[in-house]
Amino acid sequence: MNENERIARDFQSRDEEEKRAFLEQTWCDHCQEVNQGMVEPEEYELNNTIFIEGKCAKCGHVILTEITDEEF
Ligand SMILES: [Zn+2]
């Protein structure tokens, strides 16, 4: 088994408030600013950690959010 395999998860199945929070509460390494917003979110599991990957709404740089709470 490939341990580095991404397992796709359905971001859209999260509730609206949660999705909005993930899409608004961002940190962009490129802009060096918080809460620029995220577009094109994709959620996946990798090595037992959940990630939400998207693009900065301002500059298009990839934003990766690691979900550390265990509420999934
Ligand atoms: Zn940015």
Side-chain angles (χ1 to χ4, degrees):
M1 186 181 165
N2 183 357
E3 287 184 1
N4 294 314
E5 193 174 351
R6 289 182 180 195
I7 303 163
R9 292 171 58 90
D10 187 7
F11 178 77
Q12 299 304 331
S13 71
R14 292 181 176 276
D15 69 45
E16 292 300 322
E17 242 175 69
E18 212 174 14
K19 283 194 280 191
R20 198 172 59 228
F22 281 124
L23 295 177
E24 288 178 356
Q25 293 163 20
T26 59
W27 165 254
C28 177
D29 277 337
H30 187 260
C31 298
Q32 294 281 302
E33 281 182 58
V34 294
N35 304 345
Q36 297 296 330
M38 180 200 286
V39 295
E40 299 176 31
E42 279 181 45
E43 181 173 340
Y44 59 86
E45 183 179 337
L46 181 64
N47 298 338
N48 299 316
T49 304
I50 307 293
F51 293 94
I52 295 174
E53 185 179 308
K55 291 177 183 168
C56 176
K58 190 178 178 187
C59 73
H61 192 85
V62 171
I63 293 173
L64 198 57
T65 302
E66 185 177 331
I67 301 179
T68 49
D69 65 25
E70 299 285 318
E71 290 177 27
F72 56 85

Coordinates of all heavy atoms in Angstrom, one line a residue:
M1 N 0.8 -1.2 0.0 CA 0.0 0.0 0.0 C 0.9 1.2 0.0 O 1.8 1.4 0.7 CB -0.9 0.0 1.3 CG -1.9 1.1 1.3 SD -2.9 1.1 2.8 CE -3.6 2.7 2.7
N2 N 0.5 2.2 -0.8 CA 1.2 3.4 -0.9 C 0.8 4.4 0.2 O -0.3 4.9 0.2 CB 1.0 4.0 -2.3 CG 1.8 5.3 -2.5 OD1 2.5 5.8 -1.6 ND2 1.7 5.9 -3.7
E3 N 1.7 4.7 1.1 CA 1.3 5.5 2.2 C 1.2 7.0 1.8 O 0.7 7.8 2.6 CB 2.4 5.4 3.3 CG 2.3 4.1 4.0 CD 3.3 4.0 5.2 OE1 4.0 5.0 5.4 OE2 3.3 3.0 5.8
N4 N 1.7 7.3 0.7 CA 1.6 8.7 0.3 C 0.4 9.0 -0.7 O 0.3 10.0 -1.3 CB 2.9 9.2 -0.4 CG 4.0 9.2 0.6 OD1 3.9 9.7 1.7 ND2 5.1 8.6 0.2
E5 N -0.5 8.0 -0.7 CA -1.6 8.2 -1.6 C -2.7 9.1 -1.0 O -3.1 9.0 0.2 CB -2.3 6.8 -1.8 CG -3.2 6.8 -2.9 CD -3.7 5.4 -3.3 OE1 -3.2 4.4 -2.7 OE2 -4.7 5.3 -4.0
R6 N -3.2 10.0 -1.8 CA -4.2 10.9 -1.4 C -5.5 10.2 -1.5 O -5.8 9.6 -2.5 CB -4.3 12.1 -2.3 CG -3.2 13.1 -2.1 CD -3.5 14.2 -3.1 NE -2.4 15.3 -3.0 CZ -2.6 16.5 -3.5 NH1 -3.7 16.8 -4.1 NH2 -1.6 17.4 -3.4
I7 N -6.3 10.3 -0.5 CA -7.7 9.8 -0.5 C -8.7 10.9 -0.6 O -8.7 11.8 0.3 CB -8.0 8.9 0.8 CG1 -7.0 7.8 0.9 CG2 -9.4 8.4 0.7 CD1 -6.9 7.2 2.3
A8 N -9.3 11.0 -1.7 CA -10.2 12.2 -1.9 C -11.4 12.2 -0.9 O -11.9 11.1 -0.6 CB -10.8 12.2 -3.3
R9 N -11.7 13.4 -0.4 CA -12.8 13.5 0.5 C -13.7 14.6 -0.1 O -13.3 15.4 -0.9 CB -12.4 13.9 1.9 CG -11.6 12.8 2.6 CD -11.0 13.4 3.9 NE -12.0 13.9 4.8 CZ -12.7 13.3 5.7 NH1 -12.4 12.0 5.9 NH2 -13.5 13.8 6.5
D10 N -15.0 14.6 0.3 CA -15.9 15.6 -0.3 C -16.0 16.8 0.6 O -16.8 16.9 1.5 CB -17.3 14.9 -0.4 CG -18.2 15.8 -1.2 OD1 -17.8 16.8 -1.7 OD2 -19.4 15.4 -1.3
F11 N -15.3 17.9 0.2 CA -15.4 19.1 0.9 C -16.8 19.7 0.9 O -17.2 20.3 1.9 CB -14.4 20.1 0.3 CG -14.4 21.5 0.9 CD1 -13.8 21.7 2.1 CD2 -15.0 22.5 0.3 CE1 -13.8 23.0 2.7 CE2 -15.1 23.8 0.9 CZ -14.5 24.0 2.1
Q12 N -17.5 19.5 -0.2 CA -18.8 20.1 -0.4 C -19.8 19.5 0.6 O -20.9 20.1 0.8 CB -19.3 20.0 -1.8 CG -18.4 20.7 -2.9 CD -18.2 22.2 -2.6 OE1 -19.1 22.8 -2.0 NE2 -17.1 22.7 -3.0
S13 N -19.5 18.3 1.1 CA -20.5 17.7 2.1 C -20.4 18.3 3.5 O -21.2 18.0 4.3 CB -20.3 16.2 2.1 OG -19.1 15.9 2.8
R14 N -19.4 19.2 3.7 CA -19.4 19.9 5.0 C -20.5 20.9 5.0 O -21.0 21.3 4.0 CB -18.0 20.6 5.1 CG -16.9 19.6 5.3 CD -15.6 20.3 5.4 NE -14.5 19.4 5.6 CZ -14.2 18.9 6.9 NH1 -14.8 19.3 7.9 NH2 -13.2 18.0 7.0
D15 N -20.8 21.3 6.3 CA -21.9 22.2 6.3 C -21.5 23.6 5.9 O -20.3 23.9 5.9 CB -22.7 22.2 7.7 CG -21.8 22.7 8.8 OD1 -21.2 23.8 8.7 OD2 -21.8 22.1 9.9
E16 N -22.4 24.5 5.6 CA -22.1 25.8 5.0 C -21.2 26.6 5.9 O -20.3 27.3 5.4 CB -23.5 26.5 4.7 CG -24.3 25.9 3.6 CD -23.6 25.8 2.3 OE1 -22.8 26.7 1.9 OE2 -23.7 24.7 1.6
E17 N -21.5 26.6 7.2 CA -20.7 27.5 8.0 C -19.2 27.0 8.1 O -18.3 27.8 8.1 CB -21.2 27.4 9.5 CG -21.8 28.7 10.0 CD -22.4 28.5 11.4 OE1 -21.6 28.2 12.3 OE2 -23.6 28.6 11.5
E18 N -19.1 25.7 8.1 CA -17.7 25.2 8.1 C -17.0 25.5 6.8 O -15.8 25.9 6.8 CB -17.9 23.6 8.3 CG -16.7 23.0 9.0 CD -17.0 21.5 9.3 OE1 -17.9 21.0 8.6 OE2 -16.3 21.0 10.1
K19 N -17.7 25.3 5.7 CA -17.0 25.6 4.4 C -16.7 27.1 4.3 O -15.6 27.4 3.9 CB -18.0 25.3 3.3 CG -18.1 23.8 3.0 CD -18.8 23.6 1.7 CE -20.3 23.7 1.8 NZ -21.0 23.2 0.6
R20 N -17.6 28.0 4.8 CA -17.3 29.4 4.7 C -16.0 29.7 5.6 O -15.2 30.5 5.2 CB -18.5 30.2 5.2 CG -18.4 31.6 4.7 CD -19.7 32.4 5.0 NE -20.0 32.3 6.5 CZ -21.2 32.0 7.0 NH1 -22.2 31.7 6.2 NH2 -21.4 32.0 8.3
A21 N -16.0 29.1 6.8 CA -14.8 29.4 7.6 C -13.5 28.9 7.0 O -12.5 29.7 7.0 CB -15.0 28.6 9.0
F22 N -13.5 27.7 6.4 CA -12.3 27.3 5.7 C -11.9 28.2 4.5 O -10.8 28.4 4.3 CB -12.5 25.8 5.2 CG -12.4 24.8 6.3 CD1 -13.4 23.9 6.5 CD2 -11.2 24.7 7.0 CE1 -13.2 22.9 7.5 CE2 -11.1 23.8 8.0 CZ -12.1 22.9 8.3
L23 N -12.9 28.7 3.8 CA -12.6 29.5 2.7 C -12.2 30.9 3.0 O -11.6 31.6 2.2 CB -13.8 29.5 1.7 CG -14.2 28.1 1.1 CD1 -15.4 28.2 0.2 CD2 -13.0 27.6 0.3
E24 N -12.6 31.3 4.2 CA -12.3 32.7 4.6 C -11.1 32.8 5.5 O -10.3 33.8 5.4 CB -13.5 33.3 5.3 CG -14.7 33.6 4.4 CD -15.9 34.2 5.1 OE1 -15.8 34.3 6.4 OE2 -16.9 34.5 4.4
Q25 N -10.9 31.8 6.3 CA -9.8 31.9 7.3 C -8.6 31.2 6.7 O -8.4 30.1 7.0 CB -10.3 31.3 8.6 CG -11.4 32.1 9.3 CD -12.1 31.4 10.3 OE1 -11.7 30.4 10.9 NE2 -13.3 31.8 10.7
T26 N -7.8 32.0 6.0 CA -6.7 31.4 5.3 C -5.4 32.2 5.7 O -5.5 33.3 6.2 CB -6.9 31.6 3.8 OG1 -7.0 32.9 3.4 CG2 -8.1 30.8 3.3
W27 N -4.3 31.5 5.4 CA -3.0 32.2 5.4 C -2.3 31.9 4.1 O -2.2 30.8 3.7 CB -2.2 31.6 6.6 CG -0.7 32.0 6.4 CD1 0.3 31.2 6.0 CD2 -0.1 33.3 6.7 NE1 1.5 31.9 6.0 CE2 1.2 33.2 6.4 CE3 -0.7 34.5 7.1 CZ2 2.1 34.3 6.5 CZ3 0.2 35.6 7.2 CH2 1.6 35.5 6.9
C28 N -1.9 33.0 3.4 CA -1.2 32.9 2.2 C 0.2 33.2 2.4 O 0.6 34.3 2.8 CB -1.9 33.8 1.1 SG -1.0 33.7 -0.5
D29 N 1.1 32.2 2.0 CA 2.5 32.4 2.2 C 3.0 33.4 1.2 O 4.0 34.1 1.4 CB 3.2 31.1 1.8 CG 3.3 30.1 3.0 OD1 3.2 30.6 4.1 OD2 3.4 28.9 2.8
H30 N 2.4 33.5 0.1 CA 2.8 34.5 -1.0 C 2.4 35.9 -0.6 O 3.3 36.8 -0.6 CB 2.2 34.1 -2.3 CG 2.8 34.9 -3.5 ND1 2.1 35.9 -4.0 CD2 3.9 34.8 -4.1 CE1 2.8 36.4 -5.0 NE2 3.9 35.7 -5.1
C31 N 1.2 36.1 -0.2 CA 0.7 37.4 0.2 C 1.2 37.8 1.5 O 1.3 39.0 1.9 CB -0.8 37.5 0.2 SG -1.6 37.2 -1.4
Q32 N 1.6 36.8 2.3 CA 2.0 37.0 3.7 C 0.8 37.8 4.5 O 1.1 38.7 5.3 CB 3.3 37.8 3.8 CG 4.5 37.1 3.3 CD 5.0 36.1 4.3 OE1 5.4 36.4 5.4 NE2 5.1 34.8 3.9
E33 N -0.4 37.3 4.2 CA -1.5 38.0 4.8 C -2.6 36.9 5.1 O -2.7 35.9 4.4 CB -2.2 39.0 3.9 CG -1.5 40.3 3.8 CD -2.2 41.3 2.9 OE1 -3.3 41.5 3.1 OE2 -1.5 41.7 1.9
V34 N -3.3 37.1 6.2 CA -4.4 36.2 6.5 C -5.7 36.6 5.8 O -5.9 37.8 5.4 CB -4.7 36.2 8.1 CG1 -3.5 35.6 8.8 CG2 -5.1 37.6 8.6
N35 N -6.6 35.6 5.7 CA -7.9 35.8 5.3 C -8.1 36.6 3.9 O -8.9 37.4 3.8 CB -8.7 36.6 6.4 CG -8.7 35.8 7.7 OD1 -8.3 34.6 7.7 ND2 -9.0 36.4 8.7
Q36 N -7.3 36.2 3.0 CA -7.4 36.7 1.6 C -8.5 35.9 0.9 O -9.0 36.3 -0.2 CB -6.1 36.6 0.8 CG -5.0 37.4 1.3 CD -5.3 38.9 1.3 OE1 -6.0 39.3 0.4 NE2 -4.8 39.6 2.2
G37 N -8.8 34.7 1.5 CA -9.8 33.9 0.9 C -9.2 32.8 0.0 O -8.1 32.9 -0.4
M38 N -10.0 31.7 -0.1 CA -9.5 30.5 -0.9 C -10.5 30.1 -1.9 O -11.7 30.2 -1.7 CB -9.3 29.3 0.1 CG -8.8 28.1 -0.6 SD -9.1 26.6 0.4 CE -7.9 26.8 1.7
V39 N -10.0 29.8 -3.1 CA -11.0 29.3 -4.2 C -10.5 27.9 -4.6 O -9.4 27.4 -4.3 CB -11.0 30.2 -5.4 CG1 -11.5 31.6 -5.0 CG2 -9.6 30.4 -6.0
E40 N -11.4 27.2 -5.3 CA -11.2 25.8 -5.8 C -10.7 24.9 -4.7 O -9.7 24.2 -4.9 CB -10.2 25.9 -6.9 CG -10.6 26.7 -8.1 CD -9.5 26.8 -9.2 OE1 -8.8 25.9 -9.3 OE2 -9.5 27.8 -9.9
P41 N -11.4 24.8 -3.6 CA -11.0 23.9 -2.5 C -11.1 22.4 -2.9 O -12.1 22.0 -3.6 CB -12.0 24.2 -1.4 CG -13.2 24.7 -2.1 CD -12.7 25.4 -3.3
E42 N -10.1 21.7 -2.5 CA -10.2 20.2 -2.6 C -9.8 19.6 -1.3 O -8.8 20.0 -0.7 CB -9.2 19.7 -3.7 CG -9.7 19.9 -5.1 CD -8.6 19.4 -6.1 OE1 -8.0 18.3 -5.8 OE2 -8.3 20.1 -7.0
E43 N -10.5 18.7 -0.8 CA -10.2 18.0 0.4 C -9.7 16.6 0.2 O -10.2 15.9 -0.6 CB -11.5 18.0 1.3 CG -11.3 17.4 2.7 CD -12.5 17.5 3.6 OE1 -13.4 18.4 3.3 OE2 -12.6 16.8 4.6
Y44 N -8.7 16.3 1.0 CA -8.2 14.9 0.9 C -7.5 14.5 2.1 O -7.2 15.3 3.0 CB -7.3 14.7 -0.3 CG -6.0 15.6 -0.3 CD1 -4.9 15.2 0.4 CD2 -6.0 16.9 -0.9 CE1 -3.8 16.0 0.4 CE2 -4.9 17.7 -0.9 CZ -3.8 17.3 -0.2 OH -2.7 18.1 -0.2
E45 N -7.3 13.2 2.2 CA -6.7 12.6 3.4 C -5.3 12.0 2.9 O -5.2 11.4 1.9 CB -7.5 11.5 3.9 CG -7.0 10.8 5.2 CD -7.9 9.7 5.7 OE1 -9.1 9.7 5.4 OE2 -7.4 8.8 6.4
L46 N -4.3 12.3 3.7 CA -3.0 11.9 3.4 C -2.3 11.5 4.7 O -2.2 12.3 5.6 CB -2.2 13.0 2.6 CG -0.8 12.6 2.2 CD1 -0.7 11.5 1.2 CD2 -0.1 13.9 1.6
N47 N -1.8 10.2 4.8 CA -1.2 9.8 6.0 C -2.0 10.1 7.3 O -1.5 10.6 8.2 CB 0.2 10.4 6.1 CG 1.1 10.0 5.0 OD1 0.9 8.9 4.3 ND2 2.2 10.7 4.7
N48 N -3.3 9.8 7.2 CA -4.2 10.0 8.3 C -4.4 11.4 8.8 O -4.8 11.7 9.9 CB -3.7 9.1 9.5 CG -3.7 7.6 9.2 OD1 -4.6 7.1 8.6 ND2 -2.7 7.0 9.6
T49 N -4.0 12.3 7.9 CA -4.3 13.7 8.2 C -5.2 14.3 7.1 O -5.0 13.9 5.9 CB -3.0 14.5 8.2 OG1 -2.1 13.9 9.2 CG2 -3.2 16.0 8.6
I50 N -6.1 15.1 7.5 CA -7.0 15.7 6.5 C -6.5 17.1 6.0 O -6.0 17.9 6.9 CB -8.4 16.0 7.1 CG1 -9.0 14.7 7.7 CG2 -9.4 16.6 6.0 CD1 -9.3 13.6 6.7
F51 N -6.4 17.3 4.8 CA -6.0 18.6 4.2 C -7.1 19.2 3.3 O -7.8 18.5 2.7 CB -4.7 18.4 3.3 CG -3.5 17.9 4.1 CD1 -3.2 16.6 4.2 CD2 -2.7 18.8 4.7 CE1 -2.1 16.1 4.8 CE2 -1.5 18.4 5.3 CZ -1.3 17.1 5.4
I52 N -7.1 20.5 3.4 CA -7.9 21.2 2.4 C -7.0 22.1 1.6 O -6.2 22.9 2.1 CB -9.0 22.1 3.0 CG1 -10.0 21.1 3.7 CG2 -9.7 22.9 2.0 CD1 -11.1 21.8 4.5
E53 N -6.9 21.8 0.3 CA -6.0 22.5 -0.6 C -6.8 23.4 -1.5 O -7.8 23.0 -2.1 CB -5.2 21.5 -1.4 CG -4.1 22.1 -2.2 CD -3.3 21.1 -3.0 OE1 -2.8 20.1 -2.3 OE2 -3.2 21.1 -4.2
G54 N -6.4 24.7 -1.7 CA -7.1 25.5 -2.6 C -6.1 26.6 -3.1 O -4.9 26.5 -2.9
K55 N -6.6 27.6 -3.7 CA -5.8 28.7 -4.2 C -6.2 30.0 -3.5 O -7.4 30.3 -3.3 CB -5.9 28.8 -5.7 CG -5.4 27.6 -6.4 CD -5.6 27.8 -7.9 CE -5.1 26.5 -8.7 NZ -5.5 26.5 -10.0
C56 N -5.2 30.8 -3.3 CA -5.4 32.1 -2.7 C -6.3 32.9 -3.7 O -6.0 33.0 -4.9 CB -4.1 32.9 -2.5 SG -4.3 34.6 -2.0
A57 N -7.4 33.5 -3.1 CA -8.3 34.2 -4.0 C -7.7 35.5 -4.6 O -8.1 36.1 -5.6 CB -9.6 34.6 -3.2
K58 N -6.6 35.9 -3.9 CA -6.0 37.2 -4.3 C -4.9 36.9 -5.4 O -4.8 37.6 -6.4 CB -5.4 37.9 -3.1 CG -4.9 39.3 -3.4 CD -4.4 39.9 -2.1 CE -3.9 41.3 -2.3 NZ -3.2 41.8 -1.0
C59 N -4.0 36.0 -5.1 CA -2.8 35.8 -6.0 C -2.8 34.5 -6.7 O -2.0 34.3 -7.6 CB -1.5 36.0 -5.2 SG -1.2 34.7 -4.1
G60 N -3.6 33.5 -6.3 CA -3.6 32.2 -6.9 C -2.6 31.2 -6.4 O -2.5 30.1 -6.9
H61 N -1.8 31.6 -5.4 CA -0.8 30.7 -4.8 C -1.6 29.6 -4.1 O -2.6 29.8 -3.5 CB 0.0 31.5 -3.8 CG 1.2 30.8 -3.3 ND1 2.4 30.8 -4.0 CD2 1.4 30.1 -2.2 CE1 3.3 30.1 -3.3 NE2 2.7 29.7 -2.2
V62 N -1.0 28.4 -4.1 CA -1.6 27.2 -3.4 C -1.6 27.4 -1.9 O -0.6 27.8 -1.3 CB -0.9 25.9 -3.8 CG1 -1.4 24.8 -2.9 CG2 -1.2 25.6 -5.3
I63 N -2.8 27.2 -1.3 CA -2.9 27.3 0.1 C -3.3 25.9 0.6 O -4.2 25.2 0.1 CB -4.1 28.2 0.5 CG1 -3.7 29.7 0.2 CG2 -4.4 28.1 2.0 CD1 -4.9 30.6 0.4
L64 N -2.6 25.5 1.6 CA -2.8 24.1 2.2 C -3.2 24.3 3.7 O -2.5 24.9 4.5 CB -1.6 23.3 2.1 CG -1.7 21.8 2.2 CD1 -2.7 21.2 1.2 CD2 -0.3 21.1 2.0
T65 N -4.4 23.8 4.0 CA -4.9 23.9 5.4 C -4.9 22.5 5.9 O -5.5 21.6 5.3 CB -6.3 24.5 5.5 OG1 -6.3 25.8 4.9 CG2 -6.7 24.5 6.9
E66 N -4.2 22.3 7.0 CA -4.2 21.0 7.7 C -5.2 21.0 8.8 O -5.2 21.9 9.6 CB -2.8 20.7 8.3 CG -2.6 19.4 8.8 CD -1.2 19.1 9.3 OE1 -0.2 19.8 8.8 OE2 -1.0 18.4 10.3
I67 N -6.1 20.0 8.8 CA -7.1 19.9 9.8 C -6.6 19.1 11.0 O -6.4 17.9 10.8 CB -8.4 19.4 9.3 CG1 -8.9 20.2 8.1 CG2 -9.5 19.3 10.4 CD1 -10.2 19.8 7.5
T68 N -6.4 19.8 12.1 CA -5.7 19.1 13.2 C -6.7 18.6 14.2 O -6.4 17.7 15.0 CB -4.7 20.0 13.9 OG1 -5.3 21.2 14.1 CG2 -3.5 20.2 13.0
D69 N -7.9 19.1 14.3 CA -8.9 18.6 15.2 C -9.4 17.3 14.7 O -9.3 17.0 13.5 CB -10.0 19.6 15.6 CG -10.9 19.9 14.4 OD1 -11.0 19.1 13.5 OD2 -11.5 21.0 14.4
E70 N -10.0 16.5 15.5 CA -10.3 15.1 15.1 C -11.8 15.0 14.9 O -12.4 14.0 15.1 CB -9.9 14.1 16.2 CG -8.4 14.1 16.5 CD -7.6 13.4 15.4 OE1 -8.1 12.3 14.9 OE2 -6.6 13.9 15.0
E71 N -12.4 16.0 14.4 CA -13.9 16.0 14.2 C -14.4 15.5 12.9 O -15.3 16.0 12.3 CB -14.4 17.5 14.4 CG -14.3 18.0 15.9 CD -14.8 19.4 16.0 OE1 -15.6 19.8 15.2 OE2 -14.3 20.1 16.9
F72 N -13.7 14.5 12.4 CA -14.1 14.0 11.1 C -14.4 12.5 11.3 O -14.1 11.9 12.4 CB -13.1 14.2 10.0 CG -11.8 13.6 10.3 CD1 -11.4 12.3 10.1 CD2 -10.8 14.5 10.8 CE1 -10.2 11.8 10.4 CE2 -9.5 14.0 11.1 CZ -9.2 12.7 10.9
Ligands
ZN1 ZN -2.0 35.1 -1.9

